[in-house]
Amino acid sequence: MGAEQVREDFVGLYGTEPEGVWAAPGRVNLIGEHTDYNDGFVMPFALPHTAVAAVSRRTDGVLRLHSADVESGVVELSLDALVPESDRDWTAYPSGVVWALREAGHPVTGADIHLASTVPAGAGLSSSAALEVVVALALNDLYELGLKGWQLARLCQRAENVYVGAPVGIMDQTASACCEEGHALFLDTRDLSQKQIPFDLAAEGMRLLVVDTRVKHSHSEGEYGKRRAGCEKGAALLGVDALRDIPYDGLDAALARLGDDEEVVRLVRHVVTEDERVEKVVALLEAGDTRAIGPVLVAGHASLRDDFQVSCPELDLVVDTAVATGALGARMTGGGFGGSAIVLAETADVDTITKAVEEAFATAGFLAPRVFEAVPSPGARRLS
């Protein structure tokens, strides 16, 4: 969905030209899953798939929303009536951003917004964060708020945590707001320090595939929250602010202190080892040894499957089939309970691996997966 189409649709809906058109991408997380709400490390990069918004300001305290991806008319809301967890529809994401901006003291007086997105919903690729960030960036520009990308990400996270009611970490919004083309973003979620790591697989004869299993998930549902609460319990039992504070070389001692609380032991072990895997991938990429990250991805999937228990048969089938067919590495990506897996492969092996995964799904009686290449793309930006 290009900027001109979104602009034209805005004119058809609202009768005037928008003041501008903006885009914000979805993301794939290369490594670092369920670490962000534990103050840990993550390594996402932006997808070419984006949420696009045409936006104009209003001065009458009214917010009008429309999406090309939802079969409904324009939704009109009063800014003064925006209340956390009052909206269970798609409109909660953009209206939550407006609520968060106003609650933080920013003088947003209304807006007309038309949205269209190519980020697959429910695929673990941060379609909701893309919606939030594109609205936040547009309003930041139009109202001249002067907020930086990381500040917009914080506000969008607050919108999703408090207004939508989903206990997500900061990674998705920061990736959408701050990623750069041709790079993966090494992000410390405690202090939001960032480092752009060059990640140009094509130049090295490799590709990264995303396999959307078409199994839908929802962060607002209870399983994600249970795991977050379990991580917080583990940190409290170990006397630290967050699991980030447990050193990898002190993991065995920490697990021993948790006694027979098997669930918390599993959760803590995943988070601490996953932080170590992120740092290992950064070191390998900086050393130019990109192919060596493959086994680290596979180890990350095993940890998510066995310790964090957020995989599913479809995700496991992708990983097992891809690795057996010659992939350098593979793992689930995103929050889990469905969604997508990533596959790192030599360019020459992509067609063989893709066919094998599709055939494995057909044999298992699963829905046909959607397979596409993930190319590190620009973060949120103004298009016109």
Side-chain angles (χ1 to χ4, degrees), residues 136-350:
L137 180 62
L139 297 175
N140 182 54
D141 286 355
L142 291 176
Y143 283 97
E144 298 180 339
L145 304 179
L147 298 170
K148 304 293 187 184
W150 67 270
Q151 293 172 305
L152 294 177
R154 276 285 193 217
L155 284 163
C156 290
Q157 182 199 17
R158 178 161 176 75
E160 192 154 352
N161 287 170
V162 180
Y163 195 88
V164 177
V168 299
I170 191 65
M171 174 181 66
D172 295 350
Q173 293 82 2
T174 305
S176 187
C178 301
C179 278
E180 294 182 4
E181 187 173 10
H183 292 77
L185 179 69
F186 177 38
L187 174 67
D188 182 334
T189 65
R190 170 164 282 171
D191 62 12
L192 296 189
S193 59
Q194 304 176 14
K195 187 175 185 181
Q196 300 287 345
I197 308 294
F199 192 56
D200 184 358
L201 293 175
E204 299 185 61
M206 288 175 283
R207 297 288 187 272
L208 190 78
L209 302 177
V210 174
V211 182
D212 176 5
T213 65
R214 300 186 185 271
V215 177
K216 301 300 182 185
H217 73 272
S218 174
H219 282 165
S220 299
E221 294 175 2
E223 291 301 316
Y224 184 99
K226 285 180 186 176
R227 290 181 180 55
R228 181 164 184 163
C231 290
E232 291 168 352
K233 179 181 178 182
L237 289 171
L238 293 169
V240 294
D241 291 336
L243 295 182
R244 147 73 172 277
D245 297 313
I246 303 300
Y248 179 71
D249 59 8
L251 176 59
D252 289 344
L255 296 182
R257 288 168 56 200
L258 293 173
D260 58 359
D261 193 331
E262 180 188 348
E263 181 180 9
V264 174
V265 165
R266 286 190 289 98
L267 296 178
V268 171
R269 182 166 55 219
H270 166 73
V271 172
V272 176
T273 58
E274 186 79 345
D275 275 334
E276 173 73 5
R277 283 186 284 271
V278 177
E279 293 188 289
K280 186 178 293 184
V281 168
V282 171
L284 289 169
L285 291 179
E286 291 187 324
D289 197 4
T290 304
R291 285 172 174 80
I293 74 172
V296 187
L297 303 183
V298 176
H301 182 78
S303 182
L304 288 160
R305 180 192 64 211
D306 300 336
D307 277 347
F308 227 70
Q309 298 188 358
V310 292
S311 190
C312 66
E314 292 85 350
L315 289 168
D316 293 341
L317 185 60
V318 174
V319 173
D320 294 344
T321 303
V323 171
T325 318
L328 296 165
R331 74 170 191 90
M332 58 156 282
T333 187
F337 313 109
S340 298
I342 56 174
V343 177
L344 179 68
E346 303 285 359
T347 299
D349 295 334
V350 164

Side-chain angles (χ1 to χ4, degrees), residues 58 60 62-65 73-79 91 112:
R58 297 178 65 95
D60 58 358
V62 170
L63 175 64
R64 294 198 292 180
L65 300 168
V74 174
V75 177
E76 184 169 314
L77 303 166
S78 167
L79 298 190
T91 49
D112 287 338

